[in-house]
Amino acid sequence: MAVDRFKKQKERAQKLAQDGDAAGALAVYQAIVADDPQELACLTRVAELSRQLGHKAEAVAAYARVAERLAEDGFLFKAAALVRQILELDPGHTQTQARLASMYGAAPPTSGPHRIPPAATTKASRPKRRPEAEGTQSTRLADLVTDPIRPSAPPGPATPALPRTPLFSELPEAALRDALSGLSARTVAPEQAIIAEGEVGQSFFVLASGRVRVTKQTPAGPLVLATLSEGAFFGEMALLQHGPRTASVIAETPCEVLELGRALLEDLTARHPTVAKVLQRFYQQRLLGTATATHPFFQPFTPGERRQLADRFQARAFAEGEVVIAEGKKGDGLYVLLSGALVVSVGPERRVVATLGPGEIVGEMSLLDDRPTSAEVRAGAASWVLRLGRSGFSAVVSQRPEVLGVLQRVAEERRDGRPSAPPTTDDVLV
Ligand code: CMP
């Protein structure tokens, strides 16, 4: 085992600090670092003690060195947390963010392969509006909710050896610099909630270290939707939907989280279409994950089968007022509402019989009875909907005939005028 040649000095410095002699401790740590600049923990102590003693310039210089070293070793988010400390001491400081951004910022787009697995719906989604050239048009956060994702080749990182992260690796250098300057960092103890389902959310998080679980309340108790680890982001859904938090996010281990406010995220998406695309891909993937984890229709399937099943659905965005299903026509498939609202109405006077929220299914009656559609379904708000065509539906039924029972129950409840049992929650996603 390697002998720590600074062991005695470190112990002395620790003791001095404990006894309240910050200046004495600082001098010892400075001597260690002068001897061996690789002593990162000691350099961190130099930064902290300098700060404590009010030596701002020294503290900034030491934090900046630690941040760069961490970034070089692949710990972008740990480095990012230090940028916040630096900015608190010197709000005009830009060098460290610029340096990290130049190391991690994405290179200009190439036609290379996907680095992040595309959302389950990517293949099925169709471009609907605004074909836009990368980098030529801005994307508003609100637009992301209903614009189906388009397959794209995300750019690779400027320095391919550095680890990739789901969002930040997609950021061009300039965007990454802005993001690093605007975030705040905090530590969270195990079992502490970072996000509480149902609350109003104004920020977005990146997990710098640790592990969190995402849970959603259901009548049967909390359901774990996902476990996320270092580099993952969360909290985008409430911002995109301008609605409450769709799930709780709870620390499983001690966590360091980086927090970005809505304004910064809006600015990033407006100025950097790549950011918008990544957010959108995750957002849609997660909506789909939640729908398949919570709606009874998907329950007979294993998680792996649900992912395959989700692949058979086609994603489509509907503008407010657009017809999803016309009345009196041959049913063309089963629809799952992922976000937005659907208004069901009948007869020439368009009498509204139901308004449905995310996670609910429509189109089941005509499929089950092989009769013309019994109502019109319109988007009551900008909505994102999945459709499983007739042949896909038949294939699913032959694989798991029990899904027919689930749909029959939904259809019966609707015929009886009872509200169809929503997936598993009474709250809706928007
Ligand atoms: P938001 O609704 O703002 O707050 C809770 C967050 O949990 C949500 O944003 C997503 O980031 C995350 N989340 C919700 N559903 C899922 C899911 N099915 N899989 C992974 N993460 C999710």
Side-chain angles (χ1 to χ4, degrees):
M1 212 179 91
V3 180
D4 182 357
R5 67 188 170 102
F6 298 114
K7 190 163 181 276
K8 283 222 163 64
Q9 277 164 280
K10 286 178 189 171
E11 282 168 0
R12 219 178 98 230
Q14 240 171 354
K15 175 93 180 49
L16 286 167
Q18 267 164 14
D19 294 345
D21 184 0
L26 175 61
V28 179
Y29 283 122
Q30 279 169 329
I32 298 175
V33 173
D35 197 342
D36 183 358
Q38 301 302 318
E39 283 289 337
L40 210 56
C42 292
L43 187 55
T44 307
R45 289 300 285 141
V46 169
E48 290 165 354
L49 290 165
S50 300
R51 180 179 196 165
Q52 192 181 324
L53 290 164
H55 305 163
K56 276 193 189 177
E58 288 82 355
V60 167
Y63 276 128
R65 276 169 63 198
V66 176
E68 286 200 26
R69 285 277 312 286
L70 285 171
E72 279 161 14
D73 291 346
F75 300 109
L76 171 63
F77 297 120
K78 289 202 168 90
L82 292 183
V83 169
R84 181 69 348 230
Q85 310 254 27
I86 294 173
L87 289 175
E88 275 166 25
L89 290 163
D90 175 6
H93 182 98
T94 53
Q95 300 90 306
T96 307
Q97 316 65 311
R99 174 89 185 100
L100 304 192
S102 75
M103 290 161 77
Y104 280 84
T110 64
S111 55
H114 282 282
R115 312 282 177 111
I116 293 179
T121 51
T122 303
K123 266 195 269 170
S125 62
R126 283 181 273 134
K128 190 164 174 276
R129 286 180 276 143
R130 295 195 337 234
E132 68 187 21
E134 171 74 26
T136 59
Q137 199 167 348
S138 70
T139 311
R140 289 182 313 125
L141 207 51
D143 291 341
L144 302 182
V145 176
T146 52
D147 248 5
I149 38 178
R150 290 170 284 279
S152 67
T159 316
L162 292 169
R164 292 184 56 79
T165 62
L167 183 70
F168 282 16
S169 297
E170 308 301 316
L171 290 176
E173 193 175 322
L176 185 53
R177 207 174 44 232
D178 293 349
L180 291 171
S181 305
L183 50 80
S184 60
R186 67 183 158 102
T187 51
V188 184
E191 295 312 313
Q192 206 181 321
I194 303 165
I195 284 181
E197 183 177 349
E199 280 183 358
V200 175
Q202 291 299 341
S203 53
F204 168 83
F205 299 86
V206 180
L207 191 55
S209 65
R211 198 176 62 239
V212 297
R213 66 173 179 274
V214 181
T215 65
K216 191 166 180 65
Q217 278 304 328
T218 74
L223 177 75
V224 177
L225 294 173
T227 302
L228 307 175
S229 51
E230 181 175 330
F233 63 79
F234 52 90
E236 76 292 356
M237 296 175 96
L239 298 193
L240 291 167
Q241 297 172 339
H242 286 270
R245 296 294 190 188
T246 60
S248 294
V249 180
I250 297 156
E252 281 201 333
T253 63
C255 290
E256 249 182 309
V257 292
L258 307 175
E259 191 169 353
L260 275 83
R262 170 190 287 280
L264 176 58
L265 194 66
E266 272 173 359
D267 183 52
L268 284 175
T269 51
R271 289 197 290 131
H272 306 285
T274 329
V275 179
K277 281 187 184 157
V278 176
L279 269 185
Q280 191 176 23
R281 195 154 71 227
F282 274 82
Y283 168 67
Q284 295 183 354
Q285 216 166 13
R286 286 170 173 176
L287 277 179
L288 190 62
T290 301
T292 57
T294 54
H295 196 285
F297 178 76
F298 297 97
Q299 297 318 300
F301 300 89
T302 64
E305 287 171 337
R306 281 179 205 161
R307 275 192 291 277
Q308 282 173 1
L309 177 55
D311 251 352
R312 294 178 185 238
F313 281 83
Q314 287 191 317
R316 218 198 120 176
F318 289 88
E320 182 177 345
E322 213 180 324
V323 174
V324 180
I325 298 176
E327 187 173 350
K329 299 274 170 9
K330 187 176 166 69
D332 67 348
L334 189 70
Y335 293 79
V336 182
L337 177 62
L338 289 186
S339 67
L342 296 177
V343 179
V344 186
S345 64
V346 292
E349 73 288 4
R350 299 262 61 84
R351 185 169 56 87
V352 174
V353 292
T355 299
L356 307 175
E360 293 199 79
I361 277 182
V362 287
E364 78 292 346
M365 289 184 186
S366 52
L367 286 182
L368 290 170
D369 306 342
D370 206 17
R371 280 202 300 222
T373 50
S374 58
E376 176 192 90
V377 180
R378 260 179 209 271
S383 300
W384 197 58
V385 178
L386 289 181
R387 183 175 75 87
L388 179 65
R390 272 180 170 271
S391 59
F393 178 70
S394 303
V396 170
V397 169
S398 55
Q399 190 187 355
R400 283 283 189 286
E402 9 354 347
V403 299
L404 279 181
V406 173
L407 293 182
Q408 255 145 11
R409 253 194 325 278
V410 172
E412 269 162 35
E413 284 168 359
R414 286 175 173 169
R415 276 196 203 97
D416 293 352
R418 282 176 279 152
S420 72
T424 45
T425 55
D426 15 77
D427 56 336
V428 289
L429 295 179
V430 288

